[in-house]
Amino acid sequence: FFYINLMQMINIFNYANKFNVKKLLYPMGGCSYPNTAKSPIIESSIWNGLPVETSLGYSMAKKLGIIASWCYKDQYNFNSSIVIPGNMYGEHDNFSLNSSHVIPALIRKFYEAKINNIKEVKLWGTGKPIRDFVYVGDVAKCMVYLLSKKFDGPVNISYGKGFNIDYISKIIKKLVGYKGKIIWDKSRPDGQKKRIMNVKKLMKLGFQANTSLKNGLRKTVNWFKKNYHDETNQIRL
């Protein structure tokens, strides 16, 4: 992960500058923030410590894009900006149970439990951790919007509000139409207790991610159900 992402970042900046790209918007993960960063997480805290150890290679490789942006600006006056999307979800996500993030994994688990008449769904942890999820359509619109804006340093792109995993699970369960029970496996880890992005800097630039969690989840669930049984689709299971 470190090698692949580092080489991607280096080549993107090198060749974007070489071929006179007018503006580069470089996205990096929120996991690059220090593990000790307090929520809501502000952009200036990015260098206040190391990311969580389990994603250190990936996170640091992406984080070095900030240094690349500074260096290419200083030496070549190359125009680039760094954005940090929050936990994205939406249509065309990765729904693999082995590699997906929490929302697509929950959607698939509940849907398959429904169609297979499974009485209960077992989920990891306690359901108490709080996360800030942002609908992918909002992030796409925001990145197009920010191409015409001038701003220094990274800027967070997220919804700016947190919801616990238990609440999110119940919304997805209802949207899917699953009637069984949720069993929390408390022997499994919860991860970080609270992670919310501060979006004041984004709002000062004139943009706000305004797709509510329920509406975003409804769009995602509807897309998943429509495409799950279609053999010609591009859904990643």
Side-chain angles (χ1 to χ4, degrees):
F1 280 114
F2 177 77
Y3 173 79
I4 292 171
N5 284 279
L6 187 60
M7 293 306 295
Q8 284 178 343
M9 182 273 293
I10 290 171
N11 283 315
I12 286 169
F13 275 91
N14 182 47
Y15 286 98
N17 177 60
K18 182 178 180 180
F19 290 101
N20 301 311
V21 169
K22 292 182 179 180
K23 175 70 177 284
L24 172 65
L25 205 61
Y26 176 80
M28 52 179 279
C31 58
S32 295
Y33 276 112
N35 190 38
T36 55
K38 294 181 179 180
S39 294
I41 301 171
I42 58 174
E43 292 86 350
S44 60
S45 68
I46 191 71
W47 298 109
N48 291 348
L50 289 173
V52 63
E53 187 176 344
T54 51
S55 66
L56 189 61
Y58 167 81
S59 300
M60 287 304 297
K62 299 294 285 185
K63 193 170 179 174
L64 288 173
I66 300 174
I67 304 299
S69 180
W70 291 346
C71 291
Y72 276 83
K73 172 68 174 178
D74 184 54
Q75 185 167 348
Y76 302 109
N77 198 32
F78 179 65
N79 185 12
S80 67
S81 297
I82 309 294
V83 294
I84 308 179
N87 295 302
M88 291 184 288
Y89 69 95
E91 302 90 337
H92 302 280
D93 206 337
N94 171 18
F95 290 87
S96 166
L97 294 179
N98 295 320
S99 59
S100 62
H101 290 161
V102 60
I103 284 180
L106 288 170
I107 292 172
R108 182 177 174 183
K109 281 187 175 183
F110 284 124
Y111 186 72
E112 291 184 341
K114 176 188 175 183
I115 63 176
N116 292 307
N117 295 314
I118 297 172
K119 301 297 182 183
E120 60 184 40
V121 171
K122 184 177 288 187
L123 304 178
W124 280 24
T126 64
K128 294 180 180 180
I130 295 171
R131 294 291 183 270
D132 176 8
F133 291 97
V134 59
Y135 178 61
V136 69
D138 287 346
V139 176
K141 290 177 183 178
C142 182
M143 291 183 71
V144 173
Y145 175 82
L146 290 178
L147 280 172
S148 62
K149 299 294 179 179
K150 292 183 178 180
F151 57 93
D152 295 323
V155 60
N156 293 330
I157 304 177
S158 203
Y159 191 56
K161 297 179 182 178
F163 303 90
N164 67 47
I165 303 301
D166 179 62
Y167 175 75
I168 293 168
S169 300
K170 288 175 180 176
I171 293 176
I172 294 173
K173 176 186 173 183
K174 184 176 181 180
L175 290 171
V176 167
Y178 176 64
K179 303 297 183 181
K181 294 182 179 181
I182 297 175
I183 305 296
W184 292 100
D185 183 358
K186 296 179 181 179
S187 68
R188 299 291 189 171
D190 266 336
Q192 195 172 14
K193 291 183 179 180
K194 187 176 183 181
R195 195 173 192 88
I196 302 172
M197 308 283 264
N198 186 304
V199 293
K200 289 183 179 180
K201 188 172 182 179
L202 179 65
M203 292 176 69
K204 286 182 179 179
L205 289 168
F207 190 92
Q208 184 174 5
N210 54 17
T211 300
S212 69
L213 180 67
K214 288 184 178 179
N215 286 340
L217 289 176
R218 183 177 293 107
K219 291 180 182 180
T220 309
V221 168
N222 288 342
W223 181 89
F224 178 83
K225 290 194 291 186
K226 181 180 178 181
N227 287 275
Y228 182 83
H229 298 283
D230 184 356
E231 295 180 356
T232 65
N233 67 52
Q234 300 298 313
I235 195 168
R236 286 181 286 171
L237 296 174

